[in-house]
Amino acid sequence: METDVALSSPGKIISANAYLGVDTILPALQTNADIIITGRVADPSLFLAPMIHEFSWSLNNYDLMGKGTIIGHLLECAGQITGGYFADPGKKDVPGMSHLGHPFADVFPNGSATISKVAGTGGLINLQTAKEQLLYEVVNPYGYYTPDVIADFTTVHLKETGKDRVTVTGGSGKEKPSTYKVSVGYHAFYLGEGEISYAGSNAMGRAKLAGSIIAERLADSFAGMQIDYIGSTSLHHISFKETSEPYEVRLRVAAKSDSFEKAAIVGEEVEALYTNGPAGGGGVRKYVNEVICIVSTLIGKEEVRSSVTLFQS
């Protein structure tokens, strides 16, 4: 999907999961099962399917499919609309986050809904949290693709109708796509990592010396290495304001390899810095992880078959 190039096997394929839609969930709802367990399903579809089941909406009524998808999108991240991922102390304060409440929606046959949360739980629901969730992960608000509909978010209206209550109206949709999105997981490489901390006077200088030692020792073993100084612009590799020299720095070194054994060398060399590197290093940790990478592709819906299995206790 990212390149418009046909998918060729990038390595040993581990998994291929299509984002299924409501048409695969509805037969399960019709069994009146107490619990339904699905495979990979598009997040809004988990909420849209019960609406269709309850209100007998037509799957070809794309206006209602769009409205229901928008409600599902607002609910899909659970505590995010009640203040999770929203909170920023002093700017956007959220009370009671240690017992954050999850949202629920009272949905009506016309595709409108009121979103609230369980009384007595922490968090909050207001226009700010609802607007942030509405736009979350939406690249094109005019065309939000799901297996069920191409939803249009641009006519959505949000209104606070009480404490921790936001009413949602509007929204629409266009004909659903003819393909499913598929996430393909494949074995990419082994990642070897090592970390060590330096604290006190000249901590940054000692950490950088340690990093240069590892880089030189392993230059012939790995095509590329990632060296981070955690606590000193390790995320963005740049500072946007004046900062003082950090009192403590954690050095992280990482490199890729085709084999577990070779990847392990990274952590071993970092551990060797205890007595073969700068003064005062401590708290070494080392890891080797197999990394499964994901690519996204499209598959015609006619290529995918679903089924429902009923278990009775």
Side-chain angles (χ1 to χ4, degrees):
M1 290 178 66
E2 295 84 353
T3 62
D4 288 331
V5 176
L7 176 65
S8 58
S9 180
K12 180 183 177 183
I13 291 181
I14 305 298
S15 61
N17 300 105
Y19 286 71
L20 303 179
V22 296
D23 53 340
T24 63
I25 304 174
L26 288 170
L29 286 170
Q30 290 162 6
T31 69
N32 292 318
D34 294 316
I35 299 172
I36 297 173
I37 301 173
T38 77
R40 192 68 178 98
V41 173
D43 293 353
S45 303
L46 293 169
F47 301 88
L48 178 59
M51 299 178 209
I52 297 169
H53 178 74
E54 181 68 23
F55 299 130
S56 299
W57 288 346
S58 167
L59 296 181
N60 295 320
N61 187 329
Y62 295 115
D63 185 62
L64 286 174
M65 294 300 101
K67 287 177 167 62
T69 293
I70 289 162
I71 296 166
H73 174 74
L74 287 168
L75 294 171
E76 68 188 33
C77 292
Q80 189 160 313
I81 197 173
T82 60
Y85 203 65
F86 168 86
D88 191 353
K91 298 180 180 179
K92 298 184 295 181
D93 292 314
V94 177
M97 289 198 70
S98 61
H99 54 284
L100 192 67
H102 281 191
F104 63 86
D106 295 308
V107 184
F108 302 96
N110 65 355
S112 64
T114 297
I115 298 177
S116 188
K117 67 181 186 69
V118 177
T121 60
L124 56 85
I125 296 177
N126 59 23
L127 285 180
Q128 284 182 291
T129 65
K131 287 178 180 180
E132 286 200 11
Q133 177 58 41
L134 181 68
L135 298 176
Y136 181 69
E137 293 181 336
V138 175
V139 176
N140 179 4
Y142 288 94
Y144 182 76
Y145 278 69
T146 79
D148 312 308
V149 68
I150 302 173
D152 186 339
F153 286 53
T154 60
T155 57
V156 174
H157 294 274
L158 303 174
K159 182 179 180 179
E160 287 189 42
T161 51
K163 178 178 171 53
D164 296 320
R165 291 175 61 87
V166 170
T167 295
V168 186
T169 57
S172 62
K174 298 182 283 290
E175 186 173 0
K176 61 187 174 185
S178 61
T179 54
Y180 287 124
K181 175 183 176 180
V182 183
S183 292
V184 179
Y186 64 94
H187 168 79
F189 51 83
Y190 290 97
L191 183 68
E193 299 178 73
E195 298 178 5
I196 187 171
S197 295
Y198 294 92
S201 177
N202 199 27
M204 190 69 211
R206 285 180 285 128
K208 286 187 174 181
L209 174 57
S212 67
I213 291 169
I214 297 295
E216 186 173 349
R217 283 180 179 170
L218 298 180
D220 296 332
S221 299
F222 299 96
M225 302 188 70
Q226 177 73 29
I227 298 178
D228 296 316
Y229 301 97
I230 299 171
S232 176
T233 66
S234 57
L235 289 178
H236 297 149
H237 299 284
I238 189 173
S239 175
F240 296 97
K241 62 181 181 180
E242 293 297 324
T243 56
S244 59
E245 189 76 6
Y247 177 81
E248 55 189 43
V249 179
R250 187 158 180 84
L251 171 68
R252 173 187 176 268
V253 181
K256 303 175 183 178
S257 174
D258 292 333
S259 73
F260 182 98
E261 292 75 16
K262 184 176 178 182
I265 293 172
V266 176
E268 299 295 340
E269 288 290 356
V270 170
E271 187 173 44
L273 289 169
Y274 268 138
T275 54
N276 296 283
V284 168
R285 298 190 72 182
K286 51 187 180 180
Y287 322 79
V288 178
N289 290 302
E290 181 184 13
V291 176
I292 308 300
C293 284
I294 299 290
V295 291
S296 299
T297 189
L298 298 172
I299 189 172
K301 289 183 175 179
E302 71 278 1
E303 300 294 329
V304 178
R305 298 288 183 269
S306 64
S307 61
V308 174
T309 302
L310 184 63
F311 295 92
Q312 293 182 328
S313 58

